[in-house]
Amino acid sequence: MLTRQFQIKLDVGLHARPAALFVQTCNRFDSEIILKRDCATVNAKSIIGVMGLGVADGDEIELMIDGSDEAEALETIEQFFEEKMKEK
């Protein structure tokens, strides 16, 4: 299992379009991907779950990835956040 913390630096947080793109990215992998904010955890492959967390600009999140392609998933998600944060 791999874990990584991120600080969200997106004006709209992880809502609407960024959330949809994040979920699409996570769904490319077989690994289980869990998104945690504060005490709440959700399946990162669920748009309803991700949007339900209400992740705002400046919030800290943690990803927990477990599975056969976990390293590739983590690397891809890191790239996703780097690209999205540059768009801010």
Side-chain angles (χ1 to χ4, degrees):
M1 177 184 282
L2 300 176
T3 61
R4 171 81 197 277
Q5 292 185 334
F6 296 91
Q7 181 178 21
I8 300 302
K9 296 179 183 175
L10 303 168
D11 290 336
V12 296
L14 204 51
H15 297 282
R17 182 147 176 79
L21 294 173
F22 172 73
V23 169
Q24 286 176 355
T25 300
C26 292
N27 275 305
R28 293 174 28 199
F29 301 97
D30 292 327
S31 293
E32 179 182 23
I33 305 174
I34 302 297
L35 176 62
K36 181 178 179 182
R37 177 180 172 252
D38 299 328
C39 296
T41 60
V42 298
N43 180 347
K45 297 179 180 184
S46 164
I47 187 68
I48 300 299
V50 171
M51 290 185 67
L53 283 180
V55 178
D57 185 34
D59 285 350
E60 290 278 336
I61 62 168
E62 182 177 4
L63 283 177
M64 296 168 278
I65 307 171
D66 189 28
S68 60
D69 55 358
E70 62 190 20
E72 182 183 357
L74 180 59
E75 182 179 329
T76 301
I77 293 168
E78 286 175 339
Q79 289 174 354
F80 169 83
F81 281 124
E82 286 174 13
E83 290 173 13
K84 287 291 152 203
M85 290 179 202
K86 286 179 186 175
E87 292 176 7
K88 182 179 179 180

